[in-house]
Amino acid sequence: MFQRIRQRLGDMKTIQHLCQGAEQYALADQQREPAVEHFLLSALDLDDGTARRAFEQVHADPAQLPQAIAQQYRDALRFAGLTADAAASALDASEPLEPSRGLYEAAPSGADLMQTLARQRSGERGPLLGAHVVALVAAMRQGVAPRSLAALGVDAAALRAAAQAEIGAYQNR
């Protein structure tokens, strides 16, 4: 019982880091509410290192992910009718937005990711890891994050398997 309480406290700390990191990435992207792609970037920054190792297992460079996400935003603006220059300048803001002083709110995709994560983790043992986020995102078929992974040439099924392997390895150490 003591172990379970300790794990819950650790998971709450991980969620705090995950949400704060996602918010920072969203604000840097001139968005108030973090979306799935921001949670994925934040998962790569978690101290457990499992998200980064999952990327490394499929020979994907996590450092390339922000550029791939930005390209998805530019492509969406061009699809909406903006010229390439107008799309680029619309996304080139010099300063990140200031954080909101109200309640934390994620974009619908980010909120859905966190709710799915909570549902999946409710019966699981072991700590919440960055690889849990990677596994969920790799299972998605639509959205900026899956398109960004595809743009990097990442095999989503292989990334998901690598993330699940990282979860298993971390829990068996």
Side-chain angles (χ1 to χ4, degrees):
M1 180 169 149
F2 220 30
Q3 176 68 21
R4 203 162 178 85
I5 292 170
R6 216 166 99 189
Q7 179 188 322
R8 297 256 183 218
L9 291 173
D11 286 355
M12 288 180 359
K13 190 173 184 176
T14 301
I15 290 168
Q16 178 186 12
H17 289 290
L18 191 59
C19 290
Q20 288 174 337
E23 182 179 40
Q24 292 302 311
Y25 282 111
L27 293 170
D29 281 346
Q30 304 296 305
Q31 298 177 38
R32 292 256 172 237
E33 300 172 342
V36 167
E37 58 272 20
H38 303 118
F39 282 97
L40 180 58
L41 290 168
S42 183
L44 290 166
D45 293 340
L46 291 179
D47 288 339
D48 63 63
T50 57
R52 284 195 173 274
R53 286 195 298 275
F55 267 67
E56 291 167 5
Q57 282 188 34
V58 296
H59 308 288
D61 183 1
Q64 299 296 316
L65 187 58
Q67 291 84 12
I69 291 169
Q71 185 61 47
Q72 297 309 307
Y73 291 142
R74 282 191 293 273
D75 290 349
L77 289 173
R78 284 200 319 245
F79 183 75
L82 270 68
T83 65
D85 289 340
S89 70
L91 296 172
D92 285 342
S94 57
E95 295 292 323
L97 296 176
E98 289 294 319
S100 165
R101 296 184 191 269
L103 290 175
Y104 185 90
E105 284 192 47
S109 68
D112 189 48
L113 174 80
M114 294 305 288
Q115 289 168 358
T116 302
L117 188 61
R119 269 193 314 273
Q120 285 191 350
R121 296 267 313 136
S122 67
E124 275 187 36
R125 291 185 173 187
L128 174 62
L129 303 168
H132 286 104
V133 175
V134 172
L136 280 178
V137 173
M140 294 178 168
R141 296 185 183 266
Q142 298 177 351
V144 171
R147 285 195 311 270
S148 299
L149 292 174
L152 291 174
V154 173
D155 178 341
L159 180 60
R160 185 170 190 204
Q164 289 169 334
E166 282 297 324
I167 294 166
Y170 193 93
Q171 291 174 344
N172 290 326
R173 26 178 238 172

